[in-house]
Amino acid sequence: MSVTVETAARTAPAAVIVAIDGPAGTGKSSTSKAVATKLGLGYLDTGAQYRAITWWMVNNGIDVEDAVAVADAAAKPVIVSGTDPAAPTITVDGTDVAGPIRTQEVTSRVSAVSAVAEVRTRITELQRTIAAEAPRGIVVEGRDIGTTVLPDADVKIFLTASAEARAARRSGELKGKEAADLAATQAALAKRDALDSGRKTSPLAKADDAIEVDTTELTLDQVIECVVTLVEEKRTGV
């Protein structure tokens, strides 16, 4: 199935599709959910979908380093994403996996799984369908939304931040046994960046027509306001 923003059925006059990309630790999730809430749009965390399929692979004994095995199993799990920004949900085969997909076990394996072309094709089709069916519009966050998934998105934002700022934010998100020092977290992020940017299929990249927002010195509220303003300008034709 091939769905683009131009062919998507969007019934609301002010419907708008917003693509927010960028590496981990830049504030994508917090920004995207808040923007969607403020503007009355749906919200989709595409990274959660890749985590969900990775979780399924791990729990079903699939060797995530075996690209052929991962490709063969890519179509098996049923992934359903709820798009309410106030309470986004994700299930795999009917099981709520919102918590399990955030473990270090999944985090350390998601790049390998998401690099497999068959996985990206499957998840990309799912993401395009969700965006096409969003009646009021939607904010979609990820790493290749503006370049690959929704190249015709109405507004494209690419969030960046310094390596130090990103590591501090991500380290603060980890709890208990998974809490890590800043150096270790920064190293892990650098490795993830290299894998995501270097993969052959839909690498992490800034779309040519995306607006880059450096969040290093900005508060979350400032980033949210910046993105909301950009979307409102698009809506009103400013």
Side-chain angles (χ1 to χ4, degrees):
M1 179 179 180
S2 179
V3 180
T4 68
V5 174
E6 291 180 346
T7 60
R10 289 180 283 157
T11 58
V16 61
I17 292 185
V18 183
I20 299 183
D21 290 308
T26 55
K28 287 198 310 295
S29 294
S30 298
T31 298
S32 299
K33 282 186 281 191
V35 169
T37 298
K38 283 179 174 290
L39 297 176
L41 305 176
Y43 161 73
L44 178 62
D45 175 2
T46 63
Q49 295 175 319
Y50 284 105
R51 286 175 173 272
I53 198 168
T54 300
W55 175 87
W56 186 91
M57 296 284 176
V58 171
N59 279 269
N60 282 273
I62 306 297
D63 180 1
V64 300
E65 299 300 329
D66 183 344
V68 173
V70 171
D72 288 344
K76 294 182 179 180
V78 177
I79 300 171
V80 178
S81 296
T83 58
D84 179 356
T89 59
I90 186 161
T91 63
V92 178
D93 296 338
T95 298
D96 179 359
V97 295
I101 64 173
R102 301 297 173 182
T103 64
Q104 189 58 37
E105 181 180 32
V106 171
T107 298
S108 64
R109 292 169 170 79
V110 67
S111 286
V113 172
S114 62
V116 176
E118 287 80 0
V119 169
R120 299 206 74 82
T121 296
R122 162 86 193 288
I123 299 300
T124 295
E125 289 177 350
L126 176 60
Q127 292 161 1
R128 287 174 175 167
T129 298
I130 292 172
E133 294 175 349
R136 294 169 298 169
I138 192 168
V139 178
V140 184
E141 65 148 304
R143 286 169 168 74
D144 66 340
I145 310 307
T147 55
T148 301
V149 180
L150 299 169
D152 298 320
D154 299 299
V155 180
K156 299 180 186 179
I157 307 293
F158 191 86
L159 299 183
T160 64
S162 69
E164 293 77 14
R166 292 171 55 212
R169 293 167 184 168
R170 182 48 55 91
S171 184
E173 295 172 358
L174 301 175
K175 299 177 181 179
K177 294 180 180 179
E178 294 183 356
D181 60 45
L182 289 179
T185 302
Q186 190 168 326
L189 287 175
K191 180 179 180 181
R192 176 78 186 274
D193 288 349
L195 289 170
D196 289 347
S197 300
R199 65 174 177 245
K200 294 181 180 180
T201 305
S202 301
L204 163 66
K206 174 180 174 291
D208 291 339
D209 55 346
I211 299 170
E212 184 170 324
V213 178
D214 189 332
T215 69
T216 304
E217 302 295 334
L218 300 178
T219 65
L220 177 59
D221 285 343
Q222 288 173 324
V223 178
I224 293 167
E225 185 59 34
C226 174
V227 176
V228 166
T229 298
L230 291 170
V231 177
E232 290 287 26
E233 287 177 350
K234 177 65 179 182
R235 273 179 159 177
T236 58
V238 175

